[in-house]
Amino acid sequence: MASLPVEILLGIYLGLLVGIIPALVSWGLAFVFKYFTDVTLPGFGMAVLAIALAGVNGGLLALADKSITQAPNAERIVTAIIVVTMASMYAHSKGDQMGAEFPRRLSLEKLRSRTLSTDVIDLVGGRREATVRVVGEVADMEGYPPLPEDLRAEIRGSEWPFPADLRIAELEERLADRLLTEYDLGDASVTVDERGRATVVAAPPFSGLSKRIEDGRHAVSVDAVLPTGLARGDEVTLITADAQVRGTVVSARTGDGSAKPAAAPDSDPAETPDDPDVEGAEKPPAPVRAPTTDGGEGRLTAAVHRTDAQPLIRAPRAKVVVESRGTRREYELVSLLRRADVRFRKVTVGASAPVAGKRLAEAALRETYGVGAFAVRKAGGWVVAPGEDAVVDAGEELYAVGTRDALDAFEEAVA
């Protein structure tokens, strides 16, 4: 017979070895009963069941069985029984706790409201950023012709940086919009998982230049010296010998046909990392590919009014002057809010929401949830800066402002 400390150690080892399955059973039963019936199983009963499963005849009565307590290895057996009991009681407690805290209603919308896993989030230029990568084959959308193989391969290998605090549903919407804009797709559907892996279903472009031109405008191409960084959507003035025409760039390419990618729309140029070509500098994630010119002799196609098309058609060349669009005030507002650790979010009011059908004064959003309402989107249009008498009905979109935690709690309460 071994010494008492050795017997106790062997008992702990034996208890852990045979107590794994009983502990899992205790956890599973506690979780299932609490989750579905909101009933807590007795811990003592679960301990008896666990010891019985561990193969000790009579459950806890084995502690009083002389054939065990007086056996040469009694210390080992009793220690194993105690270990199995403690493991089953702990597993029962955790299972009961998880059953109480686990969401009762799981839905695809709830899953899509999550953010990306922290494993795929990087710190770029002082801010948290996640890169969404298109993985797998890009599927064809039903009812449309198949995608060209070169376009399919280009989409399949693309990467897109986004702010890390976006929810998965928002990432899917933004990436679909980016694909439509970048590749002129007819339609696109995107699914993103928590690892930032995107699955894309896309339809090929069903029109080219005509889709980018507004009604009442014509597209005219001219030869010119193009400035570096000119991109589609820029406002320009085209100067010829007998006219000055304002238009919007729909395509531009320099003489050698080269182009370079522009910075990602969701990134701040002031927060861009150091030049990746410098030795020792870390290469940033691949930016969004928005074609821009490299500068020099090239050809520009602009959308102009009908009356301005003829002077450009007659002119062999034109001078290009890029017009400033000024500072976007809405982006300044977003930056100020973010610096104050304040966010805004669109929330669709559910039918059973406590604020549905109530006046904002009755809902007391700031007192109850710590958020404010700055706009409501109704069927008849927008209500900006709604007053206390404004009523928010179920199904309407409420735009709320507050801290991230307050917005999370508010969305959970009214969605």
Side-chain angles (χ1 to χ4, degrees):
M1 176 180 174
S3 61
L4 179 60
V6 174
E7 288 290 337
I8 292 176
L9 290 176
L10 290 174
I12 294 174
Y13 169 74
L14 179 62
L16 293 175
L17 189 64
V18 301
I20 295 176
I21 299 301
L24 289 176
V25 172
S26 299
W27 175 88
L29 289 175
F31 175 81
V32 169
F33 270 82
K34 190 66 176 181
Y35 183 81
F36 289 104
T37 66
D38 203 25
V39 173
T40 299
L41 292 176
F44 180 79
M46 296 305 301
V48 173
L49 176 62
I51 296 176
L53 290 175
V56 180
N57 293 330
L60 286 180
L61 295 178
L63 292 173
D65 191 343
K66 292 184 178 181
S67 64
I68 292 179
T69 57
Q70 296 180 3
N73 59 348
E75 296 86 354
R76 185 187 311 176
I77 299 295
V78 173
T79 302
I81 292 174
I82 294 174
V83 170
V84 171
T85 303
M86 293 175 61
S88 65
M89 294 288 285
Y90 178 79
H92 164 266
S93 174
K94 286 299 180 181
D96 188 76
Q97 179 183 352
M98 291 182 65
E101 297 177 354
F102 209 70
R104 297 301 174 93
R105 293 188 300 272
L106 289 177
S107 64
L108 181 60
E109 183 176 354
K110 286 285 185 181
L111 294 175
R112 292 171 67 239
S113 68
R114 301 180 186 174
T115 55
L116 294 176
S117 171
T118 55
D119 297 340
V120 299
I121 296 175
D122 300 315
L123 192 64
V124 179
R127 68 179 232 173
R128 297 168 71 245
E129 187 175 273
T131 301
V132 177
R133 296 174 173 82
V134 178
V135 298
E137 287 295 326
V138 179
D140 295 320
M141 185 167 288
E142 186 177 358
Y144 290 89
L147 285 170
E149 289 305 320
D150 56 342
L151 179 57
R152 191 191 308 273
E154 193 172 357
I155 296 174
R156 185 171 56 240
S158 60
E159 298 180 355
W160 310 82
F162 289 99
D165 58 352
L166 290 178
R167 296 180 180 272
I168 290 179
E170 295 175 290
L171 285 174
E172 292 172 348
E173 294 176 3
R174 290 203 186 188
L175 181 52
D177 291 339
R178 293 267 192 94
L179 292 173
L180 292 174
T181 303
E182 173 69 15
Y183 300 108
D184 288 330
L185 299 176
D187 198 359
S189 175
V190 177
T191 303
V192 179
D193 64 11
E194 292 185 353
R195 304 290 302 174
R197 296 171 296 197
T199 304
V200 177
V201 179
F206 47 81
S207 62
L209 186 62
S210 60
K211 187 172 67 175
R212 301 196 293 268
I213 300 175
E214 300 176 1
D215 291 338
R217 291 199 166 197
H218 290 173
V220 180
S221 297
V222 294
D223 293 325
V225 177
L226 305 181
T228 301
L230 187 66
R232 190 172 66 204
D234 284 340
E235 299 291 336
V236 296
T237 297
L238 303 174
I239 303 174
T240 65
D242 54 357
Q244 293 188 9
V245 178
R246 297 185 62 185
T248 304
V249 177
V250 291
S251 67
R253 187 168 294 275
T254 48
D256 59 359
S258 61
K260 64 180 179 179
D266 281 330
S267 63
D268 188 344
E271 298 176 345
T272 304
D274 296 334
D275 189 347
D277 292 331
V278 178
E279 185 176 356
E282 184 179 353
K283 278 189 174 294
V288 177
R289 298 192 331 93
T292 62
T293 59
D294 283 332
E297 289 288 342
R299 193 163 180 81
L300 176 146
T301 301
V304 300
H305 290 290
R306 295 179 182 177
T307 55
D308 296 329
Q310 287 301 323
L312 292 180
I313 294 174
R314 292 194 300 265
R317 290 181 62 82
K319 295 181 180 179
V320 178
V321 178
V322 180
E323 299 182 7
S324 172
R325 289 186 174 181
T327 304
R328 300 291 295 270
R329 297 301 180 188
E330 60 269 29
Y331 293 148
E332 283 189 346
L333 174 60
V334 172
S335 297
L336 290 174
L337 289 174
R338 293 183 68 88
R339 289 170 192 165
D341 197 26
V342 176
R343 304 289 190 272
F344 57 90
R345 187 176 301 170
K346 176 182 70 175
V347 179
T348 302
V349 178
S352 59
V355 302
K358 292 185 178 180
R359 297 166 49 246
L360 289 180
E362 300 174 13
L365 300 184
R366 194 168 297 279
E367 293 79 6
T368 306
Y369 305 103
V371 301
F374 67 87
V376 179
R377 189 174 187 178
K378 296 180 172 290
W382 287 89
V383 178
V384 181
E388 293 185 348
D389 293 331
V391 177
V392 181
D393 295 320
E396 294 179 345
E397 294 177 349
L398 175 65
Y399 287 75
V401 60
T403 64
R404 187 178 303 170
D405 293 339
L407 289 173
D408 289 340
F410 177 66
E411 184 176 21
E412 183 69 23
V414 305

